[in-house]
Amino acid sequence: MRFMRSSPLLTAAGPVLFGGAFLAPLIAQSLEAASIPAPFGLEPLVFGLAVGISLGFVAALRGRWV
Amino acid sequence: MSAVAPIEPTPGRSERELKREEAAIARKYMGRVPWEMVAWGLGNFVLWLSIWPLTFAGILPLWAAFVLSTVSITLCYLPSHEAQHSIIATEGSPLRWLNELVGHVSTIPLLLPYRIAWITHKQHHANANDPELDPDHANQGDTWWQAAWNGIQARQFGAGHGYKNALARSDDPNLGKALREGTILSLSYYAILVTLAWSGHAIEAALIWWLPRHIAMTYIQVFLSWAPHHPMEETGRYRDTRAWRSPVGTILSLGMEYHIVHHLFPRIPLFQTGPAYHEMRALLDERGCRNDRPD
């Protein structure tokens, strides 16, 4: 069997999905656990989604998280 | 990287005699079932699984769960490594099922499918320290922290890392099955993380699996890939791996101080590599093996 490389679109979508699906609730729940209000009066989850998806998008562009 | 000329046998003893002496010592340490590795592999997996209900039930504090999980995931590779080399039971033997069970189960927390681990590990043994062909070569570095950073970089999704390349090169008949298992394991992992996160347990998911796995991967890469092969410049049976004295001791370096014995005789169980090293030490020196141990 020949090894199939994943498509560039899937590779790029992965970090954005991870940012929105995992990092966003993680950021939101971390803020709530530390009793830190989200900036600009945002709901923690909205803030988490904004940060998580942005981080994922930047990671997708760079090809790496760190 | 420099290829090393074959070691010349010393006067009086032929190459064949040296090999025979090495093999005679090695045989003494091979052949038994390493039950301690079976217990380690399966017990460690059960321990890791038990962290989840204990944490959710409030019996185990989250900080302790994080520490325990990090240690557990760090320890989960070596039993699978024994199974990869069929040390627990060879193909066709009555306990083969146990070898495969340990191999498959023990590295689930690390998210490293057994067949993928074996296909890539075979290439490491065959091409140790070759920058193009050794899948572990991405961990090269002048210091352990450089090796750790290089290992983290090599694991990034966009990196053309050694494991991906090793799989692309492989013509192993189990490759298709290995890739399917890898896909299922990865999808299951992300599905579990996301489900936990959206049901209010994102911090638990991060501290019991996501972060410990990354820490464990880095620790394993430093002690199993970088340290025993450092500086990763020479190839050849007697020069691609070294004996070394770890500043953190044998246990914390996961028994890798005697890794040279493993590369010479991969069927010797991990716990026997130390005694085997001490018995064949003079032969190894005669061979011109890389020995960075003062004793």
Side-chain angles (χ1 to χ4, degrees):
Chain A
M1 175 190 162
R2 290 187 63 78
F3 179 70
M4 303 293 284
R5 289 188 182 279
S6 55
S7 77
L9 187 64
L10 269 179
T11 306
V16 179
L17 280 173
F18 185 76
F22 181 66
L23 291 185
L26 177 62
I27 292 165
Q29 288 165 38
S30 298
L31 288 176
E32 286 166 346
S35 303
I36 299 171
F40 315 118
L42 293 170
E43 286 294 314
L45 188 56
V46 174
F47 177 72
L49 281 166
V51 174
I53 291 173
S54 300
L55 286 174
F57 191 68
V58 171
L61 288 176
R62 296 172 71 215
R64 55 196 165 93
W65 285 98
V66 290
Chain B
M1 187 189 73
S2 60
V4 171
I7 308 290
E8 291 296 324
T10 52
R13 279 207 285 189
S14 68
E15 165 74 16
R16 201 172 166 185
E17 285 169 327
L18 284 172
K19 269 195 172 161
R20 199 181 301 140
E21 281 185 52
E22 273 173 28
I25 295 171
R27 265 197 302 276
K28 289 192 221 170
Y29 296 95
M30 291 190 276
R32 77 170 181 87
V33 177
W35 289 106
E36 69 281 4
M37 297 305 282
V38 174
W40 173 349
L42 300 180
N44 185 53
F45 180 65
V46 172
L47 169 86
W48 181 77
L49 281 181
S50 70
I51 292 171
W52 294 91
L54 290 173
T55 306
F56 286 125
I59 297 166
L60 194 64
L62 192 52
W63 67 265
F66 168 65
V67 173
L68 263 179
S69 184
T70 304
V71 173
S72 173
I73 299 179
T74 302
L75 292 175
C76 79
Y77 178 72
L78 285 169
S80 168
H81 179 243
E82 301 275 281
Q84 288 166 43
H85 286 286
S86 297
I87 292 173
I88 296 167
T90 54
E91 202 153 350
S93 63
L95 286 176
R96 182 64 178 175
W97 64 271
L98 187 60
N99 188 84
E100 300 305 275
L101 179 70
V102 172
H104 280 287
V105 160
S106 60
T107 48
I108 287 173
L110 197 58
L111 219 62
L112 178 63
Y114 174 50
R115 288 191 177 89
I116 285 184
W118 178 223
I119 289 169
T120 53
H121 190 61
K122 272 191 284 193
Q123 295 197 28
H124 163 65
H125 272 265
N127 307 291
N129 293 352
D130 185 313
E132 300 298 321
L133 300 176
D134 180 356
D136 293 344
H137 196 269
N139 300 303
Q140 190 185 33
D142 291 338
T143 61
W144 70 264
W145 60 88
Q146 286 172 354
W149 181 247
N150 291 340
I152 290 167
Q153 289 294 314
R155 294 203 306 271
Q156 300 296 305
F157 61 92
H161 58 74
Y163 277 57
K164 205 188 280 178
N165 296 337
L167 290 171
R169 278 194 306 272
S170 174
D171 57 359
D172 193 289
N174 287 319
L175 181 63
K177 205 184 278 184
L179 292 173
R180 278 194 295 278
E181 288 169 359
T183 304
I184 291 167
L185 188 57
S186 290
L187 289 176
S188 304
Y189 167 73
Y190 287 113
I192 291 168
L193 285 191
V194 170
T195 304
L196 284 168
W198 286 90
S199 58
H201 300 291
I203 299 173
E204 287 87 344
L207 293 181
I208 296 176
W209 203 353
W210 180 57
L211 190 54
R213 178 179 161 263
H214 281 291
I215 295 170
M217 283 294 284
T218 300
Y219 195 93
I220 288 168
Q221 286 180 325
V222 166
F223 281 103
L224 271 68
S225 293
W226 175 76
H229 301 287
H230 179 65
M232 296 188 178
E233 288 173 347
E234 295 180 63
T235 56
R237 176 173 166 83
Y238 295 100
R239 297 295 294 176
D240 60 14
T241 315
R242 63 177 179 149
W244 56 293
R245 170 64 64 84
S246 170
V248 297
T250 304
I251 293 172
L252 287 179
S253 54
L254 304 173
M256 289 298 115
E257 290 170 304
Y258 311 107
H259 197 61
I260 187 168
V261 171
H262 171 66
H263 268 254
L264 294 174
F265 298 99
R267 298 289 295 280
I268 295 180
L270 176 69
F271 280 80
Q272 264 59 60
T273 54
Y277 163 78
H278 288 293
E279 192 169 343
M280 62 174 76
R281 164 79 198 252
L283 277 172
L284 299 181
D285 286 345
E286 200 171 330
R287 285 285 198 182
C289 288
R290 291 181 46 219
N291 197 327
D292 298 335
R293 287 182 68 86
D295 58 349

